[in-house]
Structures are given as structure tokens and as C-alpha cells.
Amino acid sequence: MGVDSILDDLARHWPVYLSMPFVAAVIGYVTKRVAIEMMFRPLRFVGVAEPWLGWQGVVPRNSARMIRTSAELITSRLVDPREVVERLDPDEVARQIQGPLLLTIDRIAREVLEKHHPQLWELLPVLAQDMIIKQVQAGAPALVGKVMAEVRANIGDVLDVGQVAVTALERDKELLVRLVRDISRPEMAFIARCGIYFGFTLGVVQTIVWALTREPLVLPIFGAAIGWFTDWLAIKLVFFPRERTRFLGLLTFQGVFQRRRAEVARQYGDLIAREVMTVPNIVEGVLRGPRSDRLLEMIQQLVRKSVDDQASIAKPFVAVAVGTRRFQEMKYAAADKAMAYLDSTALEAEPYATKALDIGNTIAAKMNQLTRVEYEGLLRPAFRQDEWKLIAVGAVIGALVGHLQAVLMLS
């Protein structure tokens, strides 16, 4: 096309030419929003032939791998169970659970005595019954101290921190999505903004090429390029460069996620403390995790020994009135009932334990000690495996919009 015909076409269709960069900016933004939503939605596969014909959000689909990655990071670098449990004061724990513990002991003692020797128990005056209960309760603080000492001495054997994290994240798949989405919210907003800026810039180039060629393929090709390139570049700029870098001696830049390290560390620590490494989850991990058998057997032994100790004063009476075999049955019954009440009693100390363990600040401090690559591993796995699919979808959407734009302009 000659210069005169180009100028004439610009004069006649200037609103169209003027709109091209803005349409490109819209394409850039829309493809980013679609890519972001496709990362997290839907939670479950939607389609006709999994995994080929349909879609499941990138994060939910790769949840197993991401859970393992998160659990490994928490276990190896962020939470040292021995360091954390040392912060619990056994005496304070005993004080925190004292009221519920005494009520539980009262209930257990009465149930066991009423079941295994109802005639003797009913014959005793109420005062005598209360004295027996008080005698059993007297050993409670010492028992709590022994249990805490055993847990602290063998925490590596009884608590699998990685399993606690895996169990919490697998129990609620939405939790992983929420975890990734919350810590990456500014990065997602950055990606969307990049679509506008980069799309507009490429749109200017697109407008020039269209004015020079009037070739119908220009618009869908540029639309695909805008969708592909802006998606690719925006995702890269989230993580790279890892270190603050000066370009052309004028502009300094650092990957958005790397630049927010202190903020992310604090936010991630709070989320893990609030949703994953909670006191109830830790208690469940200790009492029902894969390493709990040894601890539970130890607690049962301590309960039986405590019953022995408290009954030592009345051993002759016990031997005659109760009988050795029945007394053994009562000890084991008391130990079994104690196990049934163990977790609910332990959780009475949850407010104190949450404050003392200080999981959130511990994780935040440890995260700031990670290498750049290790820190990047918090979010990067959410993109890496299916990054090309997100970029391809952006290119397809851009090409379709470009084709529609070409049809309208040539009609």
C-alpha cells in the first residue's frame, strides 16, 4: 500500500485504528484473568474424558504433588518439633487442664469402681467415696508432668510433622487452593495488570502492521501472540529475576514474589499456624498419627502405675476387698477410659499452647532464612507443570478475538 492510501485509510477508519491498542489491552487482560481462574477452578474435573476432554484447576489437579512439596518444606526447613515442644511448660499445661482433668478423673474413677465392684462402692458412704476420688486426683499433676516429659524427650519418635501437614491439606482440598490463592493474590493482580500493559504495547505494533498490510491474518496472529507472549512474560516476571537487577543502568526490577518475601513469610506463617499446624491437628498427630502407638502404650502404663501408687496406702484392703485379679482389671479399665478422654482433655490447653508454640512467627522467621530458590518453591510448583497449557489457552483466546476483530473491520 502507498503512503497516500494508508493515510486515506487512517482518515476514514481512524476510530478503528485508535481502538486497536485498547482491544489488544483487553485481550491481554482477559487472557490473564482466564489463566488465573483456570489455576484454581474448578476444584473437581469437569468434562467427558478425564484428563483429556475437560478441565480441572491446575492447583487442585496437582494437589498431591503440591501437598508433598509443602509438607517436605515444612518438615525439613520450617518446623522443628523438638524446638517447638520445648516451649511448652509442663506445669503451665497442668494448670491449664487442671479443672477438666480432675472432672475426667472423677468420672473415670466412679465409672470403673461402679462397674468392677458395684456392691462395695454402693456400701461406702459418700464421704468415703469422695476421699477415694480425691486420693486418685492427687496424682494428676505428677501424671501430667511424666507424660509431658516423655513427649518432650521422644517428640521426634511420636510426632511426624510432615504427616500432620499432609493430613490437614488432604482433609480439605479447598484449603490448599485457598493457601496458594491467598499468598499469591498480589502476584495474580500483577499478572492481570501485565496483560493490559503488554497488550496495549503489542496493540500499537499490531496497528502499524495492519495499516501497512491490511492483511486479514495480522489480527488473529497478533491476537494469539498477545495472548501467548503476555501470559508467558507475566508468569516469568512473577519469579524472575530472583535478585534485584538494574536494567540499562536506569530501571531496577525484581520478581514480584521475590520482592514480597517478608510479607509472604508473615502471611504464610499465619496461614499455616491457623489452618495446618494447629494445636488440634498436632494433638491428633501425636495421639493418632503413624508414630502414636509407642506413646499411647507409655501413657497407659503411666496411668496404671498412677493407680498403683494411689492405691498403695490401702493395698491390704484392696487385696482383701477387691482381689488382685479384679484390681488388675480395674487398672486396665481406668487406662482405657483415660485414653478415650485424652484428646479432649489435652485440648483444654489449646489457647496457652497456641500462644506458646508461636508457629506463625517461627515459620516466618525460618522462611526469611531460605534461599531464593527454596522460597520460590512455595508458589512456583503451582505454575510449572501446566504453565504451557495456561499460555496456550491465552493464545487461543487471543487468536479468536483477533479473528473476530478482522471480520468486523473487513465487513
Side-chain angles (χ1 to χ4, degrees):
M1 293 179 65
V3 175
D4 290 339
S5 72
I6 292 175
L7 293 175
D8 180 62
D9 193 57
L10 283 171
R12 286 188 294 110
H13 299 102
W14 67 267
V16 174
Y17 282 99
L18 183 64
S19 69
M20 279 188 177
F22 294 98
V23 172
V26 171
I27 293 174
Y29 178 78
V30 170
T31 56
K32 302 306 156 296
R33 293 307 314 178
V34 170
I36 291 168
E37 292 305 312
M38 289 177 67
M39 283 192 61
F40 302 106
R41 298 179 183 176
L43 286 174
R44 292 170 181 79
F45 181 82
V46 175
V48 294
E50 188 174 359
W52 309 109
L53 294 178
W55 186 258
Q56 181 182 15
V58 173
V59 173
R61 186 171 65 254
N62 295 304
S63 61
R65 178 172 53 84
M66 294 187 66
I67 286 170
R68 287 196 302 272
T69 301
S70 298
E72 182 179 350
L73 180 64
I74 290 170
T75 304
S76 61
R77 300 303 305 273
L78 302 182
V79 178
D80 179 353
R82 187 173 301 278
E83 173 191 341
V84 169
V85 80
E86 285 293 331
R87 298 171 184 169
L88 294 176
D89 179 359
D91 294 334
E92 183 59 32
V93 171
R95 279 193 292 272
Q96 292 288 325
I97 68 173
Q98 181 176 6
L101 179 61
L102 294 180
L103 290 175
T104 299
I105 291 173
D106 182 286
R107 186 181 304 117
I108 291 173
R110 293 180 188 277
E111 288 176 359
V112 169
L113 288 167
E114 287 172 0
K115 178 180 179 180
H116 289 269
H117 212 308
Q119 299 90 350
L120 177 62
W121 184 248
E122 290 171 3
L123 288 173
L124 289 174
V126 174
L127 180 60
Q129 291 179 355
D130 289 342
M131 288 180 64
I132 292 173
I133 300 300
K134 292 292 189 293
Q135 179 65 31
V136 177
Q137 289 174 332
L143 178 61
V144 172
K146 289 177 182 177
V147 172
M148 287 294 300
E150 287 288 341
V151 171
R152 294 173 74 171
N154 301 285
I155 189 64
D157 296 327
V158 300
L159 177 61
D160 186 340
V161 171
Q163 188 60 43
V164 171
V166 168
T167 301
L169 292 169
E170 286 183 340
R171 184 188 300 129
D172 180 5
K173 293 298 175 65
E174 292 187 27
L175 173 57
L176 178 65
V177 172
R178 192 162 65 250
L179 187 67
V180 174
R181 191 158 205 160
D182 283 355
I183 67 172
S184 65
R185 201 172 296 277
E187 282 69 33
M188 298 301 110
F190 170 79
I191 289 174
R193 289 197 304 272
C194 282
I196 298 174
Y197 306 146
F198 299 152
F200 186 88
T201 302
L202 289 175
V204 172
V205 177
Q206 175 194 47
T207 303
I208 295 171
V209 173
W210 171 261
L212 294 174
T213 64
R214 296 282 293 179
E215 169 59 51
L217 289 177
V218 166
L219 296 181
I221 289 175
F222 264 88
I226 290 169
W228 177 84
F229 179 73
T230 58
D231 273 14
W232 175 83
L233 184 59
I235 291 174
K236 292 301 178 186
L237 290 178
V238 167
F239 301 102
F240 302 101
R242 293 190 177 109
E243 302 289 346
R244 186 172 291 276
T245 303
R246 184 176 293 276
F247 294 96
L248 303 176
L250 301 173
L251 179 66
T252 59
F253 188 77
Q254 184 180 19
V256 179
F257 191 60
Q258 296 287 357
R259 191 167 67 240
R260 289 199 316 119
R261 181 177 179 130
E263 178 187 347
V264 170
R266 185 176 62 257
Q267 189 177 15
Y268 186 78
D270 289 344
L271 283 167
I272 293 296
R274 188 173 65 249
E275 305 277 7
V276 180
M277 298 303 297
T278 63
V279 171
N281 287 348
I282 292 172
V283 169
E284 182 179 359
V286 169
L287 300 182
R288 295 185 179 83
R291 303 177 184 177
S292 63
D293 290 348
R294 180 172 175 270
L295 174 66
L296 297 181
E297 175 60 28
M298 179 270 296
I299 293 175
Q300 287 180 315
Q301 290 176 0
L302 287 174
V303 172
R304 291 194 290 266
K305 186 176 184 303
S306 178
V307 174
D308 259 338
D309 292 342
Q310 299 309 313
S312 61
I313 300 174
K315 273 278 177 80
F317 168 77
V318 170
V320 173
V322 178
T324 303
R325 188 176 67 83
R326 183 169 290 181
F327 181 64
Q328 293 298 322
E329 293 175 355
M330 291 169 62
K331 285 196 306 182
Y332 279 86
D336 290 341
K337 286 186 175 293
M339 303 308 294
Y341 291 111
L342 193 56
D343 53 351
S344 60
T345 304
L347 288 177
E348 293 294 335
E350 181 179 354
Y352 160 72
T354 300
K355 184 176 180 180
L357 295 178
D358 198 20
I359 297 290
N361 287 328
T362 298
I363 289 178
K366 294 281 184 70
M367 278 182 62
N368 284 316
Q369 299 171 11
L370 297 176
T371 66
R372 296 284 181 186
V373 175
E374 289 172 333
Y375 165 73
E376 181 183 304
L378 282 175
L379 189 60
R380 184 65 172 154
F383 291 89
R384 186 179 286 115
Q385 181 129 346
D386 293 300
E387 186 175 298
W388 68 272
K389 294 180 183 178
L390 299 176
I391 294 172
V393 169
V396 170
I397 293 174
L400 291 174
V401 175
H403 175 70
L404 179 61
Q405 189 180 18
V407 170
L408 292 174
M409 293 184 69
L410 294 174
S411 59

